[in-house]
Each structure stands twice: as structure tokens, then as C-alpha cells.
Amino acid sequence: MVKKGKYASVIVLSLVLLLVTALAGCSTKESGTAATQTPSAAPSSEAPVKQGDVDNASGGLPAKYEPAIKLNTVMANYSYTKFGAGDTTDNNVWTRYIKDKYGIEIHSLWDVPFAQYEQKVNLMIASGDMPDFLGVTPSQFKQLSDAGELEDLTDIYNKYASDTIKEVIASAGAEVLESAQVKGRLMAIPWTGVAKEGVPILWIRKDWYEKFDLQPPKSMSDVLKIAELFATKDPDGNNKNDTFGFGLNKELGDNSLVGFLNGYHAYRDIWIKDAQGNLVFSDIQPEMKTALTQLQTLYKNGWIDKEFGVKDPQKVEENIGSGKIGMFFGNMGSAASPLQQLTPNNEWLPFAVPSVDDQEAKLQIPLNIYNYYWVVKKGTANPEAIFPLMQTWLDLFYNNTSDELYKQYNYNSEADVASWMNAPMKIYKTKRATNHLAEMKVLNSESKDTSGLTPEQRDNFAGIQKYLAGDKKFWNVYMQDGPEGTGKIAVDYLEKDLYMPTQFTGTPTPAMVQKRANLDKLRDQTYLKIIQGASPDEFDKFVEQWKKLGGDEITKEVNEWLKSK
């Protein structure tokens, strides 16, 4: 999805980046919604250096290839316009930039929508006709690695990847780079994702918050008290008992439930380490029983909708839009979507997920990749050439401060051309904290000079200024990027490392493939029954069943994988 705007570009996030996150995130310029990502330096020529040398001025990247080298790849797209007039997959602003600056000619064997990409790669693998580099799924990565088809990237990563590239990959989480290793050797580069931006945020309606003269919730006990107030004290003032304190829907894997669970140090659908260092499944831990019991209290008291078990997220959004819900766990972008659309005249306040005790809540994340790993075919002449491609992406997409270059290389709103999709390699990074810090530095300065900001940051800053000047249409920008917005929370999460990443980063084990679907169904049925009033002891029965019906077998395989690492 792309919505038109001055600076609109997209990272479409499937998973959550696997959890959530997704990232990908869509940014628009609707009603003050902030823009998206960015570019950097204009094309520049460098004196050619012997191929294979390190260009120290570029932080370890290979020097410009002279004569130019050629690399084959394959591409995926999001089925909307990405070419300017006369441009093609092999001849566009990105390929011309890369050839001019680095002496690398990119040729794409094909370009298909992402929905077709995995199957197309499977056919390519079966045919044995692989390009020099491409993105592959975890299962495809394992298949190619087991078959000895991949170039070992260990030494060239250490030598040729710039500090900037290494920073982005490291910031995704140590487990991310580890997941690309086979027997201690780096066999791929993770297509890093934005899972850290998809973690839960507690959102509370500002007018209801002020009506009861509330303070920021410091504990999950405070969350329960607020839920009671919103459900029983007529926050909308219509003299009817028609409001709920907390929003929840039947999709038990989304942030509306996960945020609540994480506040009780319970985690859904990830693998964590026990006191002995073994991997255990989060869904069967005792903290989960505690959290479900508290949700049962909310349900029995009518503080959540008694019909939540049959309502999808869209139905709950309708309740938010009609003013029936005053609090829910969303994400860092919830102010823009869905809240700006649902309640344009009502502001919402963001808060970090509070904890049930004196230990800060940690927010669960899946393996922080965007579904894919970048791999190089074994025997490729210049495997180190992938790093200038990654650097180009970071320079032009994230770090640029020029509006003109943004329009040229990322998104041209007049022509509705999303050129950023032509980048032959991409790695994503968390940017909300970075944006917040940059924007607050300018906001707190005397000059208010925005020339050092990226186009996205300038757009955010303009929205913040308009809100402060009284234009309430920009409340969503302010609540995300302003002094007390989700950007500040993102900084706190990052600085304190308040994340609980899954510790299993391998491909599905044989028992998972055979038995996981039935175990997940059993889990969801049990969770729903307990929330809706069944004895909490049903959880103990579920744990016993889970183990007998394949859970113990899966756990054994997961720990065998851990030992092999």
C-alpha cells in the first residue's frame, strides 16, 4: 500500500517482520501523518583502485571496480509504479548510481511481486540456475547451505562491510547475525527487519485520562485500575454503562494481548532460556497462567467486551471509533493508524508497557529479519561487491538530508513513482528513536535549523511545530515524535535493551512441521476458555497435553539445535 503525500515511501512488513512488526510500515502525509524513509549523498566519482582493495575512505568497502564488474540477481516488488520515464529493471536511478560510484553493473534475471517470489526462487533452486546473489527464506537458506551452494562470507564481511553496515546488523540483535551462521561460519547476511518498532505500546484516550486526573501507569496494577474506571465510571458522560476499559480481540497473537502478557513477564509463541540455559517454550510457563488469570478478572467484571472472542480487530476498531474503548495495547505507529482515522478529534497518549513487579517489562520480538537472508552463490567472482550495494541503500534510503535526492531515489509524489524499490539490496533498521533524538535536538535549539534532518525528520518536525502552534490535526505526529511520544519510549527501550527475542532461530524442526499446528490450536482454545471463565487450573492440564502431544519432542529437537550451534 502506498498513499500519496509529499514524502511517502513504504517498507511493507509481513511478520513481524515476523511479530509484529512489521515493518513494514506505511507512512503518509494524511492529516499530519509523518513521512517515511530517506536517501543520502549524490553520485560521486572516485579514483579507481585495484579490484579487491579496501577503500579506507568508505569505511572498509571495496574500492570502485575498474573496469566495471557485473552481478546477476533477482528482484521482488510490491506491484506499484517504481520506474521513472524510460527506466527499466536494469537501467534506473539506482543501477546508474551504483555503476557510477562503485563500478558494479546490476542485471536482474526477473522481477516479480513478493507474493510470487518464494515460489519463483524455489523453481530457480530446483533448476540449479542461481544468480550471483539473491534474497532467500530461512528454509531456502538451509537447503542451499546443506547442498554446499553458498559462498562463505565470514572473512569478506569482516574485511569489507563498512562500520555502518555492521552497526545496522548488530542493532537488530546478536541472535540475528548468529542465525546466518552455519557451524560457526557466516553463510548469509540477514535482511534485517524492524521488529523492535513493532513492540507493544499502551495507548490511553487523553480526554478520559484527564477526566479522572490519572497519572502515568507505573504497574500492571495501575492498568487494571484504569480499566475499571473506564468501564464503570461513565467516561463518555452519556449516563449509560456502554464503555470498556480495555480493548481485546479474538486474534490472540496481536499486540492487544501480547502487550498485556509481556507486562506479566509472559511471552507468546517464542523460545526462551530457563535457569539452566535450556530452551523452553514461552506458552507453557507459569507466568502465562498468572496473566491469563488477570485477564479473566477483567472479563468477569465486564471491563473488557464479553464478545471479544468473536470479534476481529476491525470490529474492535469500530468500538474505538465509536468511543467505547479508552485503552489498548497497540504499537509505536498506532497514533497515525488506526487512531488518527478512527478518532480524529480525540487525542491518545502513549506509555511504555508497565510491569507487574519491580522488574521492568521486556517486550517480545521474533527473529528480527524481514523474512529473508542475502546469500551469494558459491564461486561468484566478487562476493564482496554486495557490501557497496548495502551501503548505497543505507546512504540513499536512510541517511540523506536532501529533498531533491529523496524525490529522485525514493519517492516522487508528483509522478507517484516509488523508486526505492529498485535498490538491488536492502537491510532495514529501527529509526523511530533516531528520528526522535534528531528532531528533539532541533526543537530544543534556538535556531530551529532543520537542514541537518532527513526529509522524513523535517516532515515530522513540521508536524510537531504545527501541533504546538495549535493545529490539533497533527496530534498523531506529536504523540509519535514529540517530547513525550513513542519516539522517547523507543529510545528508552533501546537504551535499556528491553527486548525478549526468541532464542530459537533455526528452521522448523521435523516435529514442529508435523505437530505444531495442532498444538497451537490447543493453546488458543485453552487461553480463550480461561479468559472467559474456566478454572485457571485448565492451564496445567493444557501444559500436560502440550508435552504429550508433541511438545516434549519439539523441545528436544530445539535443544539439539542449540547444542549444535
Side-chain angles (χ1 to χ4, degrees):
M1 170 181 71
V2 171
K3 296 181 180 180
K4 297 182 181 181
K6 182 179 179 183
Y7 304 118
S9 70
V10 180
I11 288 179
V12 178
L13 199 59
S14 69
L15 103 71
V16 144
L17 206 343
L18 301 179
L19 186 206
V20 261
T21 168
L23 294 97
C26 249
S27 291
T28 70
K29 184 82 189 276
E30 280 183 36
S31 300
T33 304
T36 1
Q37 325 264 7
T38 29
S40 169
S44 63
S45 58
E46 300 175 3
V49 185
K50 180 182 176 183
Q51 288 190 17
D53 283 353
V54 174
D55 181 3
N56 291 322
S58 295
L61 293 173
K64 182 177 180 180
Y65 294 93
E66 190 71 35
I69 63 170
K70 295 182 179 180
L71 290 177
N72 291 332
T73 190
V74 294
M75 300 282 286
N77 60 68
Y78 296 110
S79 302
Y80 49 84
T81 306
K82 66 175 184 175
F83 296 122
D87 282 355
T88 66
T89 303
D90 291 342
N91 183 15
N92 54 68
V93 290
W94 284 81
T95 60
R96 292 191 292 269
Y97 179 103
I98 290 166
K99 182 178 180 181
D100 179 74
K101 183 165 185 176
Y102 292 110
I104 303 172
E105 295 182 13
I106 300 297
H107 172 62
S108 183
L109 303 180
W110 44 258
D111 183 7
V112 299
F114 264 110
Q116 304 171 20
Y117 182 78
E118 183 177 353
Q119 182 181 10
K120 189 85 170 176
V121 171
N122 281 334
L123 294 173
M124 177 173 276
I125 292 173
S127 72
D129 186 19
M130 295 278 292
D132 296 315
F133 73 93
L134 76 161
V136 297
T137 65
S139 295
Q140 291 167 341
F141 170 42
K142 185 178 188 304
Q143 179 183 351
L144 291 168
S145 176
D146 289 348
E149 297 291 331
L150 302 181
E151 190 72 23
D152 187 333
L153 304 178
T154 311
D155 296 334
I156 64 169
Y157 179 76
N158 292 331
K159 181 177 181 181
Y160 290 106
S162 69
D163 291 342
T164 306
I165 292 171
K166 290 176 181 176
E167 256 177 47
V168 171
I169 293 174
S171 68
E175 67 281 353
V176 174
L177 194 61
E178 290 173 6
S179 74
Q181 296 177 4
V182 179
K183 296 180 180 178
R185 304 299 293 179
L186 186 65
M187 304 305 294
I189 304 298
W191 184 337
T192 49
V194 291
K196 290 182 177 180
E197 290 193 349
V199 295
I201 293 286
L202 180 64
W203 289 91
I204 302 177
R205 261 187 66 154
K206 185 179 179 181
D207 56 340
W208 293 11
Y209 181 89
E210 293 177 341
K211 178 175 183 175
F212 296 108
D213 194 25
L214 298 176
Q215 297 298 312
K218 299 298 184 182
S219 68
M220 289 304 294
S221 176
D222 291 338
V223 172
L224 299 182
K225 291 175 183 177
I226 294 171
E228 180 182 9
L229 282 174
F230 288 176
T232 63
K233 299 301 181 181
D234 193 27
D236 58 357
N238 67 353
N239 296 315
K240 296 180 180 179
N241 184 23
D242 59 355
T243 56
F244 304 107
F246 184 76
L248 192 65
N249 64 69
K250 69 177 183 178
E251 302 294 337
L252 299 181
D254 75 0
N255 276 2
S256 66
L257 176 66
V258 168
F260 191 94
L261 298 179
N262 290 176
Y264 285 87
H265 311 305
Y267 310 100
R268 188 184 188 278
D269 203 18
I270 65 172
W271 291 85
I272 58 178
K273 287 188 176 180
D274 64 13
Q276 289 72 44
N278 297 315
L279 293 184
V280 294
F281 199 44
S282 63
D283 292 16
I284 63 170
Q285 304 311 305
E287 292 82 3
M288 184 64 73
K289 182 178 180 180
T290 301
L292 293 174
T293 302
Q294 290 299 326
L295 281 167
Q296 186 182 94
T297 298
L298 289 170
Y299 182 86
K300 285 181 175 179
N301 292 338
W303 302 347
I304 57 176
D305 188 348
K306 290 288 184 74
E307 299 179 356
F308 86 89
V310 295
K311 288 189 174 181
D312 59 24
Q314 289 71 33
K315 287 292 184 182
V316 176
E317 287 184 1
E318 290 178 11
N319 285 342
I320 292 174
S322 61
K324 304 305 179 186
I325 293 175
M327 178 170 58
F328 73 103
F329 286 99
N331 59 46
M332 293 187 182
S334 292
S337 178
L339 295 178
Q340 178 72 33
Q341 290 83 6
L342 296 174
T343 62
N345 298 318
N346 296 115
E347 299 179 30
W348 292 70
L349 302 172
F351 301 94
V353 175
S355 170
V356 67
D357 53 32
D358 59 357
Q359 300 296 312
E360 291 195 85
K362 288 203 168 188
L363 298 313
Q364 68 176 78
I365 57 174
L367 180 62
N368 193 8
I369 64 169
Y370 177 72
N371 293 337
Y372 303 99
Y373 293 91
W374 292 107
V375 297
V376 178
K377 181 178 69 174
K378 190 175 182 65
T380 296
N382 295 98
E384 76 285 346
I386 63 173
F387 298 115
L389 306 184
M390 290 184 188
Q391 187 65 46
T392 300
W393 166 257
L394 296 176
D395 287 344
L396 296 180
F397 193 69
Y398 282 108
N399 302 327
N400 164 69
T401 60
S402 164
D403 290 344
E404 180 181 351
L405 290 179
Y406 185 94
K407 179 178 179 180
Q408 181 180 1
Y409 290 100
N410 289 277
Y411 185 71
N412 183 333
S413 59
E414 289 82 8
D416 197 18
V417 174
S419 301
W420 66 271
M421 283 192 297
N422 293 305
M425 292 194 80
K426 307 174 183 72
I427 53 176
Y428 299 152
K429 68 174 185 174
T430 299
K431 64 188 177 66
R432 193 170 296 278
T434 303
N435 285 356
H436 172 77
L437 292 173
E439 293 156 19
M440 291 306 97
K441 184 177 180 180
V442 175
L443 184 66
N444 294 326
S445 69
E446 291 186 12
S447 65
K448 303 293 188 290
D449 179 10
T450 63
S451 61
L453 299 179
T454 67
E456 176 186 6
Q457 291 165 358
R458 270 197 295 277
D459 199 45
N460 295 343
F461 186 80
I464 292 171
Q465 291 285 70
K466 290 175 182 177
Y467 176 85
L468 292 173
D471 191 341
K472 299 305 181 181
K473 292 195 304 294
F474 289 84
W475 70 262
N476 62 328
V477 182
Y478 187 80
M479 295 307 175
Q480 292 183 161
D481 289 80
E484 301 299 324
T486 57
K488 181 180 179 181
I489 297 173
V491 171
D492 194 49
Y493 282 176
L494 285 170
E495 288 182 347
K496 296 179 180 178
D497 192 25
L498 296 179
Y499 303 100
M500 180 61 73
T502 184
Q503 297 300 301
F504 176 68
T505 59
T507 55
T509 69
M512 280 184 189
V513 173
Q514 294 177 359
K515 302 175 180 180
R516 180 66 188 272
N518 287 334
L519 292 177
D520 287 352
K521 184 177 180 181
L522 175 64
R523 172 200 61 201
D524 290 347
Q525 290 173 342
T526 303
Y527 286 7
L528 191 60
K529 283 170 57 179
I530 294 173
I531 295 171
Q532 293 179 330
S535 169
D537 292 337
E538 288 292 321
F539 181 81
D540 303 316
K541 296 178 183 178
F542 154 68
V543 172
E544 291 179 10
Q545 285 183 289
W546 186 90
K547 291 181 176 182
K548 290 178 181 179
L549 296 176
D552 279 345
E553 187 179 355
I554 293 173
T555 301
K556 179 182 177 182
E557 291 176 345
V558 166
N559 281 283
E560 287 173 351
W561 165 87
L562 180 64
K563 292 176 183 177
S564 73
K565 297 289 284 185

